[in-house]
Amino acid sequence: MFFGHIKQVELKHYPVAIQKALTFLQQTDFDTLPAGRYSIDGENIFAQVLDLVTQEKESILPEAHRRYLDVQYLHRGNELIGVSVNPPPSEIAKPYDPDRDILFYQSVSEETMLVMNPGSFAVFFPQDIHRPACIYQEASPIRKIVVKVAIDLLK
């Protein structure tokens, strides 16, 4: 997992595929871009612009992916993202869905909560179980961008 602020990124420290995702985040005006999916490099790298409302942590299932890593960037609002780097739990809430590349767990142990403010980003690899869009102080609308990067690009 990587965690940082988009204005303090030194691209040379990241793999080329993640550099492409971070460059997209740095150069795109998300105030004018409608919610939706945007191709950066075909199916290898694409962005999802999402308008959400944060929810209680207990109402959000922890998730993981197999084929893509997530670069989660907060453009507007505040959120908490839970993350656990421990071995995956045995209790699966929803089995792996290959079409959506997502697996949901019932719960995780030793979850750390990242405070996400505008400009914050976190990179979650397949082993990083994460729980996005949790309430930070009070429920609020957020605009976040999730850039999906095919894991195969890192090999």
Side-chain angles (χ1 to χ4, degrees):
M1 182 190 82
F2 299 132
F3 179 67
H5 194 282
I6 201 69
K7 290 186 178 177
Q8 297 180 352
V9 170
E10 289 197 40
L11 293 174
K12 65 183 179 186
H13 296 298
Y14 296 90
V16 172
I18 295 174
Q19 288 180 27
K20 287 181 183 180
L22 293 171
T23 299
F24 173 82
L25 295 172
Q26 289 175 321
Q27 296 178 352
T28 304
D29 181 358
F30 293 109
D31 288 324
T32 60
L33 198 64
R37 181 180 163 149
Y38 297 89
S39 176
I40 298 169
D41 179 13
E43 289 299 306
N44 289 321
I45 306 173
F46 60 91
Q48 299 168 321
V49 177
L50 307 167
D51 292 319
L52 307 168
V53 175
T54 56
Q55 299 176 36
E56 293 289 340
K57 173 185 164 183
E58 296 73 25
S59 68
I60 301 170
L61 294 171
E63 64 185 57
H65 312 286
R66 293 182 181 165
R67 294 189 336 261
Y68 291 91
L69 63 81
D70 279 1
V71 180
Q72 295 203 13
Y73 167 74
L74 189 67
H75 178 67
R76 187 172 41 242
N78 300 95
E79 74 172 318
L80 293 176
I81 298 179
V83 62
S84 176
V85 294
N86 291 333
S90 58
E91 290 185 39
I92 295 175
K94 295 180 184 175
Y96 179 71
D97 179 342
D99 293 333
R100 293 183 58 216
D101 184 42
I102 197 163
L103 165 71
F104 291 101
Y105 293 99
Q106 196 63 43
S107 63
V108 291
S109 64
E110 298 180 32
E111 185 174 25
T112 300
M113 301 306 285
L114 300 176
V115 177
M116 301 286 286
N117 297 305
S120 296
F121 71 90
V123 179
F124 299 109
F125 293 89
Q127 69 271 17
D128 301 323
I129 301 168
H130 52 285
R131 185 191 317 242
C134 297
I135 291 175
Y136 176 64
Q137 297 179 335
E138 64 184 8
S140 61
I142 60 172
R143 172 161 268 218
K144 73 182 301 176
I145 295 79
V146 178
V147 180
K148 307 294 262 181
V149 177
I151 290 297
D152 290 344
L153 294 178
L154 302 181
K155 295 179 180 174

